[in-house]
């Protein structure tokens, strides 16, 4: 089973895309980061640079290597990442990981186009990092459903140890096995998931987050008390309101909108009023500097009154 030589990451500018590009390059793969706008490409490269600086500083502090070796390692990883504004360049890759916005129409259009672009490279595998959309639909429109998986990472990709590998009824064994191997090579624990709403993690996590927001709607507890309760009472690294802000309220919102449309009878898929109001006001949490809490970059501040 031949390994991948060059991995295309479409959407390298985003929260997930830059992290996936970083861990892939750090594992020794050549990476081609693709974006449609120069500003997004620049933002992605800067995010990777900043994150690698943190990794190096931590390793120097731990005595893994000295500053010079850390700088050399960082330069080596950055050197494996090339970039492009032209999706046609994906034809030079043998794995393309897509991390574009969570909109099914956009993704279907993207995969129809990508299938044509990569037609001359029949072994190229496609992997979507969607957090909640159906993989089968994308696989079918791509023209290579047997070489298509979901590859769902978690935020922050650099630190979270899991990747879900989602196979559809069309995915062949070789592709699935290759992707499990790829997940392990980039340092993640892999789990195998089916093409069900939210796969494993989000099917459990998102209803939990929205239940916490429903408590806010019912004025049953303050957001700080909900967060501290789940941190100290259940051992979670972040409470649910904090985590929702961290993931992005727009992301939580769009997952629920999609699920309610596709599974209207599923009682677990609720839209809390406070979530809907925040998103309509453009307050998406960490990424906009304001959600349930104020944010200064990565740092959570006081609650929004
Ligand atoms: N890159 C590199 N290093 C980073 C980093 C990044 N992006 N972010 C943080 N670090 C480093 C920090 O610099 C810090 O280094 P030092 O120890 O040298 O200071 C170290 O990592 C630990 O960071 P923090 O002290 O800031 O944070 P922490 O120990 O509290 O852990 C966390 C941070 C891992 C995010 C933890 O709070 C956590 O696990 N939170 C829950 C995250 C979670 O649940 N994610 C899944 C969301 S769901 C999802 O993503 C799926 C979806 O589809 C919606």
């Amino acid at each position: 089973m031949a390994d991948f030589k060059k991995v295309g990451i479409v959407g390298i500018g985003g929260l997930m895309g830059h992290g996936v590009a970083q861990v892939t390059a750090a594992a020794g793969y050549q990476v081609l980061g693709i974006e449609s706008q120069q500003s997004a490409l620049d933002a992605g490269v800067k995010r990777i640079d900043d994150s690698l600086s943190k990794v190096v500083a931590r390793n120097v502090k731990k005595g893994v290597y000295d500053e010079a070796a850390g700088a050399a390692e960082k330069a080596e990883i950055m050197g494996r990442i090339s970039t492009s504004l032209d999706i046609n360049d994906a034809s030079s890759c043998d794995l393309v990981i897509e991390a574009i916005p969570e909109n099914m129409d956009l993704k279907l259009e993207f995969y129809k186009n990508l299938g044509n672009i990569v037609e001359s490279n029949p072994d190229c595998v496609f992997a979507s990092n969607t957090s909640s959309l159906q993989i089968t639909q994308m696989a079918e429109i791509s023209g290579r459903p047997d070489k298509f998986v979901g590859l769902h990472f978690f935020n922050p990709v650099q630190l979270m140890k899991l990747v879900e590998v989602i196979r559809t009824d069309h995915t062949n064994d070789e592709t699935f096995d290759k992707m499990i191997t790829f997940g392990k090579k980039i340092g993640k624990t892999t789990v195998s998931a089916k093409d069900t709403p939210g796969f494993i993690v989000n099917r459990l996590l998102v209803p939990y987050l929205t239940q916490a927001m429903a408590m806010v709607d019912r004025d049953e507890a303050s957001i700080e008390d909900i967060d501290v309760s789940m941190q100290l009472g259940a051992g979670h690294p972040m409470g649910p309101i904090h985590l929702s802000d961290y993931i992005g309220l727009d992301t939580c919102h769009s997952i629920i909108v999609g699920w309610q449309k596709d599974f209207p009878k599923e009682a677990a898929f609720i839209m809390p009023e406070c979530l809907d109001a925040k998103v309509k006001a453009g307050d998406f949490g960490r990424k906009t500097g304001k959600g349930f809490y104020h944010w200064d970059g990565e740092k959570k501040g006081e609650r929004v009154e």
Side-chain angles (χ1 to χ4, degrees):
M1 194 168 61
D3 195 7
F4 303 112
K5 292 194 182 71
K6 189 169 173 191
V7 181
I9 317 275
V10 185
I12 193 178
L15 218 47
M16 302 306 286
H18 88 276
V20 177
Q22 180 178 331
V23 296
T24 303
Y29 290 95
Q30 293 298 320
V31 167
L32 176 66
I34 303 177
E35 269 294 348
S36 51
Q37 306 283 333
Q38 185 65 48
S39 55
L41 208 53
D42 294 344
V45 172
K46 183 176 182 312
R47 278 176 153 160
I48 295 171
D49 198 277
D50 290 348
S51 172
L52 279 174
S53 297
K54 284 189 199 169
V55 173
V56 166
R58 186 160 4 119
N59 285 340
V60 169
K61 205 162 78 187
K62 280 198 220 152
V64 176
Y65 43 53
D66 63 18
E67 271 185 38
E73 182 177 272
K74 180 180 163 190
E76 208 177 296
I77 295 170
M78 291 303 287
R80 287 192 208 107
I81 303 174
S82 54
T83 57
S84 170
L85 288 173
D86 185 358
I87 186 64
N88 288 298
D89 290 338
S91 60
S92 66
C93 299
D94 40 17
L95 168 63
V96 177
I97 302 174
E98 163 268 313
I100 66 173
E102 286 287 88
N103 174 308
M104 190 51 124
D105 291 341
L106 195 71
K107 298 224 191 223
L108 293 179
E109 195 188 320
F110 170 79
Y111 279 113
K112 198 168 170 199
N113 186 30
L114 186 68
N116 292 331
I117 289 169
V118 186
E119 207 171 7
S120 59
N121 181 359
D123 292 333
C124 180
V125 172
F126 293 172
S128 175
N129 178 52
T130 182
S131 53
S132 68
L133 300 174
Q134 206 201 39
I135 306 292
T136 306
Q137 273 190 67
M138 297 180 232
E140 285 174 350
I141 208 165
S142 74
R144 59 184 71 206
D146 53 332
K147 299 196 184 72
F148 199 117
V149 293
L151 193 66
H152 185 217
F153 289 88
F154 299 87
N155 194 0
V157 178
Q158 295 89 342
L159 302 187
M160 302 305 285
K161 296 186 176 72
L162 187 76
V163 64
E164 293 174 311
V165 184
I166 300 111
R167 71 182 300 168
T168 74
D169 291 345
H170 305 300
T171 313
N172 67 30
D173 289 343
E174 189 190 349
T175 301
F176 183 73
D177 293 346
K178 256 177 123 167
M179 293 310 295
I180 291 280
T181 304
F182 174 76
K184 291 186 185 359
K185 279 198 170 175
I186 59 173
K188 303 297 178 196
T189 295
T190 55
V191 289
S192 165
K194 293 187 178 167
D195 191 15
T196 53
F199 321 123
I200 300 173
V201 173
N202 278 350
R203 181 66 175 83
L204 297 171
L205 182 66
V206 175
Y208 153 67
L209 300 180
T210 52
Q211 280 300 321
M213 294 179 219
M215 290 183 77
V216 175
D217 283 344
R218 295 191 300 265
D219 197 20
E220 288 173 354
S222 71
I223 63 171
E224 295 94 334
D225 282 355
I226 293 171
D227 278 340
V228 84
S229 297
M230 293 312 288
Q231 262 191 296
L232 303 187
H236 293 191
M238 288 175 176
I241 306 292
H242 179 183
L243 180 58
S244 302
D245 258 14
Y246 185 81
I247 293 170
L249 301 182
D250 54 334
T251 303
C252 300
H253 190 270
S254 74
I255 291 174
I256 292 294
V257 167
W259 283 351
Q260 286 189 326
K261 181 166 153 274
D262 293 341
F263 309 96
K265 295 203 173 109
E266 174 53 75
F269 300 159
I270 60 159
M271 176 64 78
E273 277 173 29
C274 58
L275 174 63
D276 198 39
K278 295 266 177 212
V279 170
K280 284 183 175 147
D283 296 335
F284 298 165
R286 177 174 58 137
K287 65 179 83 164
T288 59
K290 189 178 163 199
F292 287 98
Y293 293 97
H294 292 284
W295 288 80
D296 178 10
E298 295 286 304
K299 208 170 162 295
K300 176 172 79 69
E302 295 296 312
R303 68 172 292 164
V304 172
E305 290 307 329

